Amino acid sequence: MESDAAMRCSAGVPPVHRKGCPMPVLIALAVRCLLIGLFLPFSALDKALNFRLAIDQASQAVPNRPLAAALIACGFCVEVFMSLAILGGVADRLAALILAGYCLITALLWKQFWRQPDFRLKGKSSGREVFWDFLKNVSLAGGFLLLAFGSNAVGVEHFLRHPLASSNPYQLVPGEAK
């Protein structure tokens, strides 16, 4: 016998009104996992396991070693806490804006393809590899900005009026209390 939730999922009710159907919630969670997957667990774990190497890398852009260590520690916190906020839907729009800024800053500080002596778009070039990493960071920032502001001006206005509001990512019916 089909469960009550399964019957609602297959009853021809539009997806927005399927209160017992877990599929929309699982898709929303999966999309958010894909968006933050680079940071949590991978980049954050790499910073924790290889903290000294991360400081060495940061020291290339920031010559002051204690400042480089502080930046790595801050980066770790941003990656963990903002990712968790996006997954949990708690001030997730602000967290997405912070991660967008983080992606842009790291692209500018650590993906400086224009400084590579062999940067060119044709032929073998280590600078081109850095260029692609730069573009990936910028594109990821765009994804976070889409999460923060939505895809239209109304979303931007709502964010500006309520920057700490949640996007309620797992709510099935708009306006319904949880």
Side-chain angles (χ1 to χ4, degrees), residues 15 19 21 38 44-45 49 53 57-59 103 123-124:
K19 288 185 181 181
C21 183
L38 172 68
L45 185 60
L49 295 176
L53 289 173
Q57 181 186 14
S59 294
C103 288
K124 190 172 181 173

Side-chain angles (χ1 to χ4, degrees), residues 112-132:
Q112 297 178 354
F113 65 91
W114 57 90
R115 290 189 175 198
Q116 298 293 319
D118 71 339
F119 174 68
R120 58 186 167 279
L121 294 177
K122 188 172 181 180
K124 190 172 181 173
S125 165
S126 62
R128 189 174 66 249
E129 291 176 21
V130 177
F131 174 69
W132 287 113

Side-chain angles (χ1 to χ4, degrees), residues 155-172:
V156 174
E157 182 180 10
H158 183 267
F159 178 84
L160 294 174
R161 289 177 190 254
H162 309 284
L164 295 177
S166 172
S167 67
N168 300 313
Y170 310 115
Q171 181 178 337
L172 291 174

Side-chain angles (χ1 to χ4, degrees), residues 10-175:
S10 61
V13 179
V16 164
H17 300 292
R18 293 181 188 158
K19 288 185 181 181
C21 183
M23 188 59 67
V25 172
L26 292 175
I27 290 171
L29 177 62
V31 167
R32 286 166 179 260
C33 286
L34 288 172
L35 192 59
I36 61 98
L38 172 68
F39 302 111
L40 189 67
F42 299 109
S43 182
L45 185 60
D46 185 54
K47 282 178 181 57
L49 295 176
N50 300 300
F51 191 70
R52 286 196 173 130
L53 289 173
I55 293 171
D56 291 343
Q57 181 186 14
S59 294
Q60 294 172 7
V62 180
N64 182 326
R65 196 158 173 84
L67 179 58
L71 289 173
I72 294 300
C74 288
F76 175 82
C77 291
V78 165
E79 290 176 357
V80 170
F81 294 114
M82 298 306 110
S83 295
L84 290 173
I86 287 172
L87 284 178
V90 178
D92 56 336
R93 298 170 75 213
L94 180 59
L97 180 65
I98 291 168
L99 274 171
Y102 179 75
C103 288
L104 293 172
I105 289 168
T106 57
L108 292 171
L109 288 178
W110 282 280
K111 308 300 181 189
Q112 297 178 354
F113 65 91
W114 57 90
R115 290 189 175 198
Q116 298 293 319
D118 71 339
F119 174 68
R120 58 186 167 279
L121 294 177
K122 188 172 181 180
K124 190 172 181 173
S125 165
S126 62
R128 189 174 66 249
E129 291 176 21
V130 177
F131 174 69
W132 287 113
D133 287 341
F134 177 87
L135 289 179
K136 287 176 194 174
N137 276 36
V138 171
S139 296
L140 193 53
F144 284 122
L145 289 173
L146 189 62
L147 183 59
F149 297 129
S151 60
N152 58 37
V154 172
V156 174
E157 182 180 10
H158 183 267
F159 178 84
L160 294 174
R161 289 177 190 254
H162 309 284
L164 295 177
S166 172
S167 67
N168 300 313
Y170 310 115
Q171 181 178 337
L172 291 174
V173 180

